[in-house]
Amino acid sequence: MKNNRVLIIGSGHLAYRLKMLVRNNGYEITHIPSGAFSNKNQEGSRFDTISQALKDIDFSSLSMVYVVDDNDELNLELIVALLSLKMDLPITASFYNENIAPHLRAVHPNIKILNPAKMAAPTFIESLYVPIKRSLRYTPSKLSYESTRNRF
């Protein structure tokens, strides 16, 4: 039986877009936002907080895990916690610093590391060459000498 549930860990625009994409492809979603790993009012390390949050997840019902927070440090802590569970579940994670990728793949061959900035860069560069077809909606008024004279 194919598992139809995906775990998405993280917050931000990437997590939001991924949730929409996964849901549109017919998967059920379990989402843990980054705030669940904040340990400001608790004793212990953030790793303890992460382990506590992950212990209630039924990993046997999942087909994949996405770790997509905007913070590489948190993503790395989440990956280490997931790897400590000794599961063979596919994991996809976002890291702006890709130097860690070969080391993670050596430990868990079913992991894929993606750099969101590297993926978005071609689209941003391409948009620089698209001619602007709209005019400004707002035209700033000219400041009079009197209104700026007393400001300095």
Side-chain angles (χ1 to χ4, degrees):
M1 182 177 131
K2 181 182 173 190
N3 296 334
N4 202 31
R5 179 166 291 281
V6 171
L7 173 62
I8 298 175
I9 304 173
S11 297
H13 186 70
L14 185 57
Y16 171 78
R17 295 284 307 257
L18 185 61
K19 279 176 25 179
M20 301 300 284
L21 182 65
V22 168
R23 186 173 290 126
N24 290 342
N25 281 303
Y27 287 89
E28 296 177 28
I29 299 169
T30 298
H31 178 232
I32 303 176
S34 305
F37 308 113
S38 173
N39 63 339
K40 292 178 183 174
N41 298 327
Q42 300 174 7
E43 291 184 23
S45 69
R46 184 160 61 175
F47 191 76
D48 293 335
T49 307
I50 290 169
S51 298
Q52 185 67 28
L54 293 178
K55 78 173 191 161
D56 296 330
I57 302 293
D58 177 16
F59 287 96
S60 65
S61 69
L62 298 175
S63 60
M64 184 162 197
V65 177
Y66 291 96
V67 179
V68 290
D69 194 70
D70 293 335
N71 180 344
D72 277 4
E73 181 182 336
L74 176 59
N75 286 347
L76 184 56
E77 290 175 345
L78 290 163
I79 293 294
V80 169
L82 289 167
L83 294 177
S84 71
L85 298 174
K86 306 254 190 279
M87 58 180 182
D88 194 33
L89 198 59
I91 300 172
T92 299
S94 70
F95 281 95
Y96 290 96
N97 183 347
E98 296 173 291
N99 293 331
I100 193 76
H103 305 287
L104 292 173
R105 280 193 291 270
V107 175
H108 187 72
N110 228 354
I111 192 167
K112 184 166 184 131
I113 305 298
L114 302 173
N115 182 335
K118 194 175 188 179
M119 292 169 58
T123 303
F124 287 126
I125 297 299
E126 185 179 303
S127 70
L128 293 173
Y129 297 106
V130 175
I132 298 173
K133 297 179 182 175
R134 293 186 285 173
S135 61
L136 290 174
R137 292 182 189 172
Y138 166 75
T139 306
S141 62
K142 293 183 179 182
L143 296 173
S144 68
Y145 173 74
E146 289 297 319
S147 65
T148 59
R149 184 175 77 173
N150 296 330
R151 295 175 81 189
F152 300 104

